[in-house]
Amino acid sequence: MRQKFRKILTVLVLAVTVMGLAACGSSSAGSTVSYDQSYLASVADFLIANWASMSEDDIEYYASMDEEDAQDIVDYNSLPFTAESFVSAFSVYESNMDDLGDYVSTDSYEITAADEDGATLVTHMTFSEREADLTIEFTSKSVVDELALDPEYSLGEIFYKAGMNTILGMGVVFGVLIFISLIIYCFGFIPKIQEKFSKKKATPAQTASTPAASVPQPAAVTEEPVLDDGELVAAITAAICAYTGSSEDGFVVRSIRRADSARWKRS
């Protein structure tokens, strides 16, 4: 990986130990700090030259590098970057390279802020498709802390992008609303479906619980009342006594038999 990096970064070698931060005197009213613009510009040139010389695969490789590998490269080559800003330098260019086109020229440099906390350098550049500004924020030790690449779009392009974003946003919103409306509309069919399934389940249950047809029972046979032997004996005894005019003490009924019907009729 280090050999690949040294092969790619052949355009510029930054002498960090030669060019750096230069501070002037200070007074009780405050301090005035100045930065070497040529050094800050050389850092910008370093990035621009490598963007122009690298292939898309190389740009993608450094843009997706993890922080540990980036720190190894920064330390090995004594580059004035933090690991995060080094990876960001390639990722911001990768996200804008299609809109920028090929590099044409570097037009000017401008230090927009400089104090004891750091400095900000804006580099104005021209690409084949449009102009762009590279903004680099340096720490007080002239190490790149943050950077941004801002392409300049025409008014028509700005309105076009704004319109597309509006249409896309409204389309998503209306799509979600339509989806929610369909769900709410389907709620009206849910009770009917539940009722239909509940009827299907209830029909077999009702069939199983229906009682079997009652089997006709034979009519009850009315039995004639039958007197017991004691009552029958008492009745016969009383009848005989009444017929003969005698007392019931003179005889005892031992048994009772049905008389021959023919003989009974003859008498």
Side-chain angles (χ1 to χ4, degrees), residues 40-62:
L40 302 183
S42 67
V43 176
D45 292 339
F46 169 80
L47 289 177
I48 296 169
N50 282 280
W51 290 344
S53 62
M54 286 183 180
S55 64
E56 293 185 5
D57 293 337
D58 293 331
I59 296 292
E60 181 181 1
Y61 171 78
Y62 290 106

Side-chain angles (χ1 to χ4, degrees), residues 19 79 98-99 177 186 219 231 237:
M19 294 183 295
L79 299 175
D98 292 336
D99 292 338
L177 291 176
C186 291
E231 293 178 351
T237 303

Side-chain angles (χ1 to χ4, degrees), residues 130-218:
R130 68 191 72 253
E131 296 180 349
D133 292 338
L134 172 62
T135 303
I136 305 176
E137 295 185 5
F138 294 87
T139 65
S140 59
K141 296 182 180 180
S142 296
V143 176
V144 177
D145 186 31
E146 295 181 1
L147 53 83
L149 182 60
D150 301 313
E152 296 181 3
Y153 296 97
S154 64
L155 187 61
E157 290 174 326
I158 293 174
F159 277 114
Y160 174 77
K161 287 190 174 184
M164 291 301 296
N165 291 335
T166 302
I167 293 173
L168 181 61
M170 294 179 63
V172 172
V173 171
F174 279 103
V176 173
L177 291 176
I178 293 172
F179 178 72
I180 294 174
S181 300
L182 290 175
I183 293 177
I184 295 174
Y185 176 75
C186 291
F187 283 163
F189 297 97
I190 294 176
K192 296 180 181 179
I193 296 174
Q194 289 179 341
E195 183 180 357
K196 184 177 180 181
F197 279 100
S198 62
K199 286 183 178 179
K200 287 184 178 180
K201 293 181 179 179
T203 300
Q206 291 176 357
T207 304
S209 61
T210 302
S214 58
V215 180
Q217 300 293 330

Side-chain angles (χ1 to χ4, degrees), residues 3-13 46 49-50 53-54:
Q3 292 179 351
K4 180 179 181 180
F5 185 82
R6 281 182 290 179
K7 180 179 179 180
I8 295 174
L9 304 182
T10 56
V11 181
L12 294 174
V13 176
F46 169 80
N50 282 280
S53 62
M54 286 183 180

